[in-house]
Amino acid sequence: MADLSHYRNIGIFAHVDAGKTTTTERILKLTGKIHKTGEVHDGESTTDFMEQEAERGITIQSAATTCFWKDHRMNIIDTPGHVDFTVEVYRSLKVLDGGIGVFCGSGGVEPQSETNWRYANESGVARVIFVNKLDRMGADFYRVIGQIKKVLGAKPVVMTLPIGIEDDFNGIIDVLEEKAYIWDETGLPENFEVCDVPEDMKELVAKYREDMIETAVEMDDDLMMSYMDGEEPSIADIKRCLRKGTRDLEFFPTFCGSAFKNKGVQLVLDGVIDYLPNPTEVDPQELTDADTGEPTGEVAKVSTDEPFRALAFKIMDDRFGALTFIRVYSGVLKKGDTILNSATGKTERIGRMVEMHANDRTELSMAHAGDILAVVGMKNVQTGHTLCSTAHPCTLEPMIFPEPVISIAVKPKDKGATEKMSIAIGKLVSEDPSFQVETDEDSGETILKGMGELHLDIKVDILKRTYGVELEVGQPQVAYRETITTPIEDSYTHKKQSGGSGQFGKIDYRIKPGEVNSGFTFKSTVVGGNVPKEFFPAIEKGFKGMMDQGPLAGYPVLDVEVELYDGGFHAVDSSAIAFEIAAKGAFRQSMPKAGPQILEPIMKVDVFTPEDHVGDVIGDLNRRRGMIKDQEAGVTGVRIKADVPLSEMFGYIGQLRTMTSGRGQFSMEFSHYAPCPNNVADKVIEEAKARNAR
């Protein structure tokens, strides 16, 4: 069996354009996995193998690859940086043990880096930091270190320092070993010499080395005592302490370099091996109850002696058929095994298993705890499903995905392509849980829902090019919601006497606004037997079933609390169905009286603009009903943070480029729902009425 202490499952994540994919290319070149590096700007990188990725120069789906460095096996996932694809980052972090956070030396900590960092914190993933692109104009390693502390609230431990900056950047210093690595003009990663620290940097290196040692010895009381007595710990002891602190998320070893210029990546790889945990050192995944989702108290211990347990974290359709990416947490999986999908209750037989290298593959005959691999041709598996041994059914902690905030109506240009379209969309939905599809019952239109304009734009593009389905696309629609503002006490009686047995159900209830993000809550305070207990679930079901259609414009209702406090029943005519109908009638009767209002999705918008256009950008955001939260001047421009309603942000990129002569950039992600102003709400209600009248 393989030695798990020599495994590293890591992800590379960062903001768009910080150089993740280029860093991955350099790692693959250094580890001998590829012999020629492809450049992102030429559309030739290994992990960006989709046409849409090569064209746009961005990563859309996370790609997995395996390589070796100093007798250690690395399973690497290169994740997207663009905000519309954060679901890819989230689900990759879920199955990784460690990560490399890449930051741009001139851009610093950008909005997407914050989101990814937050996800990594929530997932408890240990990280090393790589400050990249120090050869770029405006690069400043020390400024980025300051931002990591201030913006991310993280504690970086500086492991390497740059020699020179921008065009003069020609090497780095290993602070721990006190050695300088200087590269020559050829630009080849292996062409460097190791020499002593330059005289003019000795003082700086000594300062950072002292900081590093002081941070490290905090992880070991004995070492700390001897250090305070003036005894410097050995390099092996310092590394051991740094490893412990990194694993416990106390701090993050921070490296620097330029992946594009092949400088400094080797030390990052050494850092991955020295400081990031192997699969056995990470807190094991909790097992949950399949019905309630609550933890059972058991864990999936990372060991080959345990029963087989794995999580499917990504589905991908390619020319060889459906691939299911799985992370094996415990046990062994062999070709030909029959395993159970605990989410569906169905068994699957394992046919081909492959180790992925972007879109190439190597056949495997077995896999074990700690492995990340793909299984070909699984039938009913979706992202987040648990795969386990048939003798030991279990459910791993599931993934939670964000709700879509934007939708478009589509129909095929060619009338005969409807079935082809629905099969293709079905494949995309199984690959991406944040992309949803539904059919509008009134109009019969197909509605695609996603996380942003770019997200849906790329899905339509894939349908056209990969599946040959040309679509007519309607205007983007916002996912509005409704809620209530006034508590109300009311009563409703459902009575029906016409032939056969009658129906009777009387309920007295209070409806009031719930806590933010509480959804729908139901409670009963009925004293005595006025409404028998067995009818409570029917009453709850009746109210809950109506929450999808609000009283104002038919949008789903958020944050409402219903309390049943009294009622009446008939010994013969009362039934569960009668009380369910009563609850539905009560909803229709009372909700319009409870001060209903329309809520709109508010987006967290982050705009980057050159300094001379700040006034125009802020003025434009204000016109879009934006609330400016913060602005921060950087070396090359200003970052403006604002909360803006999604409905005002359609087509923003075109407007921003016009205002900033093509130099502005922005990203946005869903923040929260907030009440609409009356004039906007009236318009939304009018449009809903017009749609329903059709």
Side-chain angles (χ1 to χ4, degrees):
M1 293 307 255
D3 178 359
L4 284 181
S5 67
H6 282 221
Y7 268 58
R8 297 290 182 274
N9 290 322
I10 60 167
I12 295 183
F13 54 90
H15 185 81
V16 169
D17 216 23
K20 293 176 306 305
T21 302
T22 306
T23 304
T24 308
E25 286 290 306
R26 297 306 183 262
I27 289 173
L28 296 179
K29 175 78 169 64
L30 281 169
T31 56
K33 191 77 187 191
I34 55 174
H35 298 294
K36 171 189 177 291
T37 49
E39 300 305 348
V40 176
H41 51 80
D42 297 334
E44 288 178 357
S45 66
T46 310
T47 49
D48 284 356
F49 51 82
M50 284 169 64
E51 281 177 71
Q52 290 81 359
E53 295 180 308
E55 267 175 30
R56 297 170 194 241
I58 62 170
T59 304
I60 293 168
Q61 55 180 16
S62 40
T65 184
T66 301
C67 57
F68 292 84
W69 181 253
K70 297 190 175 172
D71 297 335
H72 284 66
R73 174 195 177 102
M74 292 188 193
N75 294 320
I76 299 176
I77 296 183
D78 172 28
T79 63
H82 198 284
V83 66
D84 284 8
F85 307 103
T86 45
V87 63
E88 288 282 343
V89 180
Y90 168 76
R91 63 172 164 198
S92 301
L93 282 167
K94 179 90 181 136
V95 297
L96 294 168
D97 305 324
I100 303 175
V102 181
F103 296 95
C104 172
S106 62
V109 176
E110 294 168 285
Q112 198 53 43
S113 346
E114 290 179 52
T115 304
N116 291 341
W117 198 262
R118 192 175 70 240
Y119 281 161
N121 285 342
E122 286 167 10
S123 304
V125 173
R127 280 144 281 169
V128 298
I129 293 170
F130 177 46
V131 180
N132 187 24
K133 298 195 174 184
L134 289 182
D135 56 317
R136 284 268 292 265
M137 270 284 293
D140 183 342
F141 176 68
Y142 303 99
R143 184 171 54 87
V144 179
I145 293 293
Q147 286 183 335
I148 290 167
K149 290 177 186 169
K150 181 180 156 216
V151 180
L152 302 179
K155 185 174 182 181
V157 174
V158 175
M159 305 302 296
T160 61
L161 290 170
I163 301 173
I165 202 76
E166 297 182 356
D167 289 348
D168 300 330
F169 174 62
N170 66 354
I172 54 178
I173 292 166
D174 180 334
V175 174
L176 180 59
E177 305 269 2
E178 296 180 286
K179 288 272 179 278
Y181 290 71
I182 311 279
W183 277 265
D184 64 16
E185 296 304 307
T186 60
L188 292 169
E190 54 276 8
N191 287 6
F192 62 87
E193 56 172 319
V194 181
C195 47
D196 291 332
V197 174
E199 276 302 321
D200 60 342
M201 288 189 71
K202 279 191 170 161
E203 202 174 307
L204 189 67
V205 172
K207 174 188 170 298
Y208 275 100
R209 193 164 189 276
E210 192 178 325
D211 288 350
M212 175 204 293
I213 295 171
E214 281 175 9
T215 305
V217 294
E218 283 174 15
M219 297 293 114
D220 184 320
D221 291 346
D222 294 343
L223 272 184
M224 192 167 182
M225 295 308 292
S226 52
Y227 178 65
M228 287 168 83
D229 291 341
E231 194 181 317
E232 184 172 300
S234 69
I235 283 179
D237 278 337
I238 295 172
K239 282 188 173 178
R240 178 175 56 77
C241 290
L242 287 173
R243 184 182 181 84
K244 181 181 185 306
T246 305
R247 198 188 71 206
D248 296 345
L249 307 188
E250 292 288 333
F251 47 73
F252 305 93
T254 301
F255 299 84
C256 64
S258 162
F260 182 58
K261 295 283 173 67
N262 286 310
K263 291 172 184 163
V265 180
Q266 289 98 325
L267 288 145
V268 179
L269 286 174
D270 290 346
V272 166
I273 288 167
D274 288 340
Y275 307 120
L276 290 183
N278 68 52
T280 62
E281 292 174 316
V282 178
D283 290 341
Q285 284 282 326
E286 288 192 339
L287 300 182
T288 57
D289 184 292
D291 298 326
T292 64
E294 294 297 313
T296 60
E298 289 183 76
V299 294
K301 189 168 169 238
V302 180
S303 159
T304 48
D305 304 329
E306 292 274 309
F308 171 70
R309 299 182 183 113
L311 188 71
F313 69 95
K314 182 175 169 62
I315 314 288
M316 195 169 107
D317 206 58
D318 78 351
R319 60 188 191 276
F320 300 108
L323 287 174
T324 305
F325 282 84
I326 65 172
R327 159 75 196 261
V328 183
Y329 283 105
S330 58
V332 178
L333 181 65
K334 294 191 181 76
K335 203 169 162 176
D337 282 357
T338 297
I339 57 162
L340 173 72
N341 176 345
S342 65
T344 61
K346 294 194 169 78
T347 55
E348 300 247 4
R349 190 164 177 279
I350 299 293
R352 292 170 57 212
M353 302 192 298
V354 292
E355 180 181 288
M356 294 299 293
H357 172 51
N359 62 344
D360 294 333
R361 65 216 45 220
T362 313
E363 295 275 342
L364 299 171
S365 57
M366 69 171 284
H368 55 73
D371 278 335
I372 290 178
L373 69 148
V375 181
V376 184
M378 292 185 105
K379 297 280 185 298
N380 300 307
V381 179
Q382 291 181 351
T383 298
H385 282 181
T386 299
L387 306 174
C388 53
S389 93
T390 48
H392 299 87
C394 71
T395 305
L396 288 155
E397 191 182 10
M399 300 180 176
I400 297 154
F401 296 108
E403 285 293 309
V405 291
I406 180 173
S407 61
I408 49 173
V410 296
K411 59 180 184 217
K413 284 186 179 166
D414 170 10
K415 289 280 181 285
T418 308
E419 190 180 343
K420 190 177 172 189
M421 173 185 85
S422 58
I423 291 170
I425 288 175
K427 286 183 173 175
L428 292 184
V429 169
S430 70
E431 288 179 12
D432 180 352
S434 65
F435 174 62
Q436 296 174 9
V437 64
E438 63 181 44
T439 305
D440 187 310
E441 287 168 19
D442 303 325
S443 65
E445 290 177 317
T446 300
I447 310 287
L448 305 184
K449 300 177 163 189
M451 303 308 295
E453 275 186 289
L454 179 69
H455 191 198
L456 293 179
D457 190 22
I458 288 193
K459 296 297 182 207
V460 170
D461 199 32
I462 293 172
L463 286 167
K464 177 178 160 186
R465 283 204 260 182
T466 310
Y467 297 102
V469 180
E470 290 267 4
L471 294 177
E472 282 179 22
V473 180
Q475 283 297 312
Q477 299 295 322
V478 176
Y480 290 103
R481 294 287 182 265
E482 300 187 23
T483 193
I484 54 170
T485 55
T486 316
I488 185 167
E489 195 168 297
D490 214 341
S491 176
Y492 188 88
T493 306
H494 169 65
K495 203 165 22 180
K496 184 176 165 222
Q497 298 295 140
S498 58
S501 63
Q503 288 184 351
F504 180 86
K506 175 176 186 288
I507 53 174
D508 298 337
Y509 53 90
R510 298 183 185 97
I511 296 180
K512 64 176 188 179
E515 295 286 315
V516 175
N517 293 333
S518 62
F520 168 74
T521 47
F522 176 84
K523 67 178 181 183
S524 163
T525 52
V526 176
V527 180
N530 290 355
V531 180
K533 273 196 172 63
E534 65 261 30
F535 297 137
F536 294 173
I539 296 167
E540 179 173 2
K541 185 181 171 197
F543 275 113
K544 195 170 188 177
M546 298 294 285
M547 297 293 286
D548 288 342
Q549 289 258 313
L552 289 173
Y555 286 106
V557 181
L558 296 180
D559 308 335
V560 170
E561 193 179 297
V562 175
E563 178 196 346
L564 175 72
Y565 71 89
D566 207 352
F569 79 106
H570 186 282
V572 179
D573 292 350
S574 284
S575 64
I577 194 80
F579 274 103
E580 190 180 325
I581 293 169
K584 289 181 172 175
F587 182 94
R588 279 192 287 267
Q589 169 183 292
S590 302
M591 289 297 277
K593 303 187 229 168
Q597 69 177 180
I598 301 276
L599 300 174
E600 61 182 347
I602 304 293
M603 307 303 278
K604 200 160 89 181
V605 178
D606 211 303
V607 187
F608 174 83
T609 167
E611 253 176 56
D612 37 355
H613 300 291
V614 172
D616 297 343
V617 170
I618 288 180
D620 181 62
L621 287 172
N622 286 333
R623 273 193 296 282
R624 294 171 189 268
R625 299 191 285 124
M627 288 272 297
I628 309 296
K629 293 284 193 190
D630 189 22
Q631 34 178 333
E632 189 182 308
V635 179
T636 51
V638 178
R639 267 179 61 191
I640 299 160
K641 294 185 180 187
D643 285 351
V644 192
L646 173 62
S647 58
E648 304 287 346
M649 289 301 290
F650 294 135
Y652 180 62
I653 188 68
Q655 177 70 27
L656 178 66
R657 283 186 179 142
T658 308
M659 283 188 295
T660 60
S661 320
R663 289 159 66 205
Q665 292 173 328
F666 89 106
S667 74
M668 67 177 182
E669 63 179 310
F670 172 70
S671 172
H672 60 281
Y673 275 98
C676 277
N678 290 343
N679 60 332
V680 177
D682 293 344
K683 199 168 149 203
V684 171
I685 295 165
E686 281 303 309
E687 283 171 2
K689 280 183 183 155
R691 265 203 311 278
N692 294 336
R694 261 184 278 169

